[in-house]
């Protein structure tokens, strides 16, 4: 005898829910899971296309679904009939997002939850009609039974392994061999076996398409940043840093876009304050001794962390957001050119603006940066060895003026200052 999965919810479904495309009473209601009014049709089409036996009861009435073949431009389609009435729907509806047994169950159970938060799932071997309720019966194939036995992998509301939760989302233990599972409003909306993840996540504020699949995969990286930054669980944050240590590029969490404007919680500071951190992309800039005991983490995580918590020990990074570097030993060509540039400047009327100039040689993480003024020092890029003495002298002038005035790059104040210097030089005798 066949067994079936019964999905039961309060209220009797209107037969038009299976025939009117675009008709949805949920549009604009943020408390509902559904939106487009097409899901029920796709679900029925998929069940028919995959030859999965099913029945639908609205109260005490069964809604019958059958098909008939119809030719169109040399191709044969199976048109769906509802209670014997032909529709414009075919069994090929839905596309790739619907080529699995979970897709129709997800849709039907999601709709049931929208109508009745106490909607139930159970395994049965016979059908029963019940006034005031809608019941779907879906043949318990191997895939359908896997869903039933592992429902928490598809609807995380039933998952008791909550590690952290707030208004930004929910983090769950990964109980699926590190496969990635992203839920939207507690319903599985993205799955990947190729990209591994430390945890499973439930995010309410992320866009889905009409198949209830996440519409823009790149949004995951930004939404996870917001959730993780708000995390106050120090043990979880420590685990994340441990798992990301040394790259782990195959993990979803390694791709998180930490540049989101949200601030890190104080728990992040507590976890990081006594750690030595190093950007994994620039390890060749540091000695073996410097890297000893350091957590090797993505630069896009370390940069905003250092910006918010300036006293964290991050190798090679200063407090300035766009000017991160590591001090290096310059080659003799560059040293000689800098000496010549300074000597040349001291032989001009600019010499009165020189005090005891302090120059250090660095390798900037941003290759477009050639010099930096900070704390009275001038930091010069090690790649200036290919520049002329005159070009280096101009860079020294610019950085020296930054130190003297305190004006930032690309500001009107600094621009006016340089014009004033130039004008004073023109009219001086």
């Amino acid at each position: 005898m066949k067994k079936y999965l019964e999905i039961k919810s309060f209220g009797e479904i209107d037969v038009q829910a299976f025939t009117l495309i675009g008709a949805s009473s949920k549009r604009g209601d943020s408390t509902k899971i559904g939106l487009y009014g097409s899901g029920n049709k796709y679900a029925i089409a998929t069940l028919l296309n995959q030859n999965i036996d099913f029945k639908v009861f609205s109260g005490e009435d069964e809604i019958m679904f059958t098909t008939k073949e119809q030719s169109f431009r040399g191709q044969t389609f199976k048109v769906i009939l509802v209670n014997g009435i032909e529709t414009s729907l075919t069994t090929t509806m839905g596309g790739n997002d619907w080529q699995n047994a979970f897709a129709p169950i997800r849709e039907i159970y999601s709709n049931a939850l929208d109508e009745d938060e106490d909607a139930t799932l159970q395994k049965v071997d016979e059908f029963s009609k019940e006034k005031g309720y809608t019941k779907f019966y879906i043949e318990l194939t191997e895939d359908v039974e896997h869903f039933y036995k592992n429902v928490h992998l598809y609807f995380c509301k039933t998952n008791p392994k909550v590690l952290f939760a707030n208004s930004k989302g929910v983090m769950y233990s990964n109980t699926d061999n590190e496969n990635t599972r992203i839920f939207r409003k507690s319903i599985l909306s993205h799955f990947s076996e190729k990209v591994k993840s430390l945890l499973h996540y439930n995010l309410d504020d992320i866009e889905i398409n009409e198949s209830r699949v996440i519409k823009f995969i790149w949004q995951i990286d930004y939404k996870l940043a917001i959730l993780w930054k708000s995390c106050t669980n120090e043990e979880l944050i420590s685990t994340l840093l441990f798992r990301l240590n040394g790259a782990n590029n195959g993990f979803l969490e390694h791709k998180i876009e930490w540049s989101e404007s949200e601030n890190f919680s104080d728990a992040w500071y507590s976890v990081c304050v006594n750690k030595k951190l190093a950007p994994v992309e620039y390890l060749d800039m540091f000695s073996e001794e410097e890297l000893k005991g350091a957590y090797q983490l993505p630069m896009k995580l370390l940069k905003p962390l250092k910006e918010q918590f300036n006293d964290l020990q991050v190798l090679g990074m200063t407090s300035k957001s766009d000017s991160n570097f590591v001090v290096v030993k310059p080659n003799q060509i560059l040293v000689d050119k800098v000496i010549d540039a300074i000597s040349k400047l001291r032989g001009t009327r600019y010499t009165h603006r020189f005090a005891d100039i302090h120059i250090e040689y660095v390798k900037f993480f941003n290759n477009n940066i050639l010099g930096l003024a900070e704390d009275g020092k001038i930091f010069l890029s090690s790649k200036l060895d290919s520049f002329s003495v005159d070009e280096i002298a101009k860079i020294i002038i610019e950085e020296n003026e930054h130190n003297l005035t305190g004006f930032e790059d690309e500001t009107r104040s600094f621009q006016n200052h340089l014009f004033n210097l130039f004008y004073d030089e023109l009219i001086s005798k």
Side-chain angles (χ1 to χ4, degrees):
M1 178 182 291
K2 282 185 181 179
K3 292 190 178 295
Y4 291 83
L5 176 65
E6 179 195 78
I7 302 175
K8 173 184 173 181
S9 59
F10 181 75
E12 298 183 7
I13 193 168
D14 190 323
V15 69
Q16 293 183 97
F18 301 103
T19 59
L20 290 179
I21 288 287
S24 174
S25 61
K26 306 170 190 175
R27 190 173 285 110
D29 186 346
S30 61
T31 67
K32 301 300 185 183
I33 302 166
L35 174 63
Y36 294 96
S38 56
N40 266 330
K41 297 82 172 172
Y42 288 165
I44 297 301
T46 300
L47 292 171
L48 289 168
N49 188 46
Q50 295 185 10
N51 294 315
I52 298 175
D53 190 24
F54 71 96
K55 288 187 178 295
V56 180
F57 294 96
S58 178
E60 297 177 337
D61 299 322
E62 181 178 0
I63 300 175
M64 304 290 294
F65 298 92
T66 54
T67 63
K68 77 169 189 177
E69 292 188 351
Q70 183 170 314
S71 296
F72 178 72
R73 292 187 175 180
Q75 296 188 55
T76 300
F77 296 88
K78 288 185 177 180
V79 175
I80 299 173
L81 287 74
V82 180
N83 286 339
I85 300 173
E86 187 175 324
T87 70
S88 59
L89 314 177
T90 73
T91 58
T92 57
M93 294 176 62
N96 292 334
D97 290 335
W98 292 83
Q99 300 306 309
N100 57 78
F102 168 60
I105 298 173
R106 174 188 61 208
E107 183 62 35
I108 294 166
Y109 187 44
S110 296
N111 283 331
L113 290 171
D114 273 344
E115 299 300 328
D116 177 9
E117 63 180 13
D118 296 318
T120 60
L121 295 169
Q122 65 172 329
K123 187 164 59 173
V124 299
D125 51 20
E126 60 182 22
F127 311 127
S128 65
K129 307 172 184 180
E130 187 172 352
K131 186 175 179 61
Y133 287 86
T134 295
K135 293 184 178 181
F136 282 78
Y137 293 93
I138 302 171
E139 181 184 355
L140 206 68
T141 63
E142 183 178 343
D143 289 338
V144 175
E145 186 161 22
H146 180 271
F147 162 78
Y148 178 68
K149 289 181 177 179
N150 302 276
V151 66
H152 67 281
L153 295 179
Y154 302 92
F155 290 82
C156 64
K157 195 172 184 179
T158 64
N159 188 346
K161 299 184 180 297
V162 176
L163 300 177
F164 177 75
N166 65 12
S167 61
K168 312 296 183 183
V170 186
M171 302 180 188
Y172 298 91
S173 296
N174 188 324
T175 57
D176 187 31
N177 299 314
E178 295 186 334
N179 292 325
T180 293
R181 289 182 181 269
I182 307 293
F183 300 80
R184 187 253 187 191
K185 293 191 175 181
S186 300
I187 298 173
L188 182 65
S189 298
H190 176 72
F191 172 76
S192 176
E193 292 178 306
K194 293 181 180 179
V195 178
K196 301 302 181 182
S197 67
L198 175 60
L199 305 177
H200 290 164
Y201 302 95
N202 183 32
L203 307 166
D204 282 357
D205 184 24
I206 194 165
E207 293 181 67
I208 57 172
N209 61 23
E210 59 183 335
S211 299
R212 298 185 191 267
V213 173
I214 289 177
K215 191 173 184 179
F216 304 110
I217 298 301
W218 56 264
Q219 282 190 347
I220 295 173
D221 300 332
Y222 289 89
K223 299 299 183 182
L224 288 185
I226 294 171
L227 175 58
W228 268 108
K229 280 186 166 186
S230 68
C231 180
T232 55
N233 185 315
E234 293 183 15
E235 183 178 351
L236 265 184
I237 296 170
S238 296
T239 301
L240 175 67
L241 298 186
F242 178 78
R243 294 296 293 271
L244 293 184
N245 185 22
N248 289 317
N249 281 305
F251 275 78
L252 172 71
E253 288 82 3
H254 195 275
K255 295 166 53 258
I256 291 176
E257 291 294 339
W258 298 98
S259 58
E260 279 297 291
S261 59
E262 301 277 330
N263 281 334
F264 290 94
S265 71
D266 291 340
W268 279 85
Y269 180 78
S270 298
V271 170
C272 297
V273 66
N274 293 318
K275 288 181 170 60
K276 180 163 61 172
L277 310 171
V280 71
E281 299 90 341
Y282 302 100
L283 297 181
D284 59 333
M285 296 182 179
F286 309 105
S287 68
E288 187 174 327
E289 183 61 29
E290 286 176 311
L291 290 172
K292 189 175 181 180
Y295 274 68
Q296 300 170 13
L297 301 172
M299 180 65 163
K300 57 186 177 182
L301 167 59
L302 294 182
K303 190 170 182 178
L305 264 176
K306 179 67 174 177
E307 289 173 7
Q308 183 175 335
F309 306 119
N310 187 40
D311 57 339
L312 293 184
Q313 184 185 3
V314 183
L315 295 182
M317 295 181 70
T318 73
S319 60
K320 291 203 172 184
S321 60
D322 294 319
S323 308
N324 306 311
F325 59 77
V326 59
V327 176
V328 296
K329 185 176 180 179
N331 60 39
Q332 194 58 45
I333 294 175
L334 176 56
V335 172
D336 290 343
K337 285 185 176 182
V338 170
I339 291 172
D340 289 344
I342 293 173
S343 178
K344 196 167 189 178
L345 289 172
R346 292 208 184 276
T348 69
R349 284 188 288 181
Y350 187 72
T351 188
H352 72 281
R353 297 193 65 78
F354 268 146
D356 294 327
I357 190 166
H358 184 159
I359 289 179
E360 291 193 23
Y361 301 94
V362 302
K363 185 172 182 180
F364 290 103
F365 297 147
N366 183 340
N367 285 326
N368 294 320
I369 298 175
L370 301 177
L372 166 71
E374 188 171 81
D375 299 328
K377 299 178 183 178
I378 293 177
F379 300 92
L380 295 180
S381 170
S382 59
K383 74 177 188 178
L384 288 176
D385 58 357
S386 62
F387 284 56
S388 70
V389 170
D390 288 336
E391 289 172 318
I392 293 173
K394 294 172 188 176
I395 293 171
I396 291 174
I397 289 174
E398 178 183 352
E399 303 308 332
N400 187 55
E401 292 304 319
H402 280 308
N403 274 333
L404 291 175
T405 65
F407 295 143
E408 296 285 342
D409 262 335
E410 300 179 7
T411 62
R412 185 65 187 178
S413 297
F414 190 61
Q415 186 182 66
N416 288 342
H417 170 70
L418 293 180
F419 280 135
N420 290 336
L421 276 182
F422 177 66
Y423 181 75
D424 291 345
E425 185 64 26
L426 286 176
I427 64 174
S428 65
K429 295 182 180 180

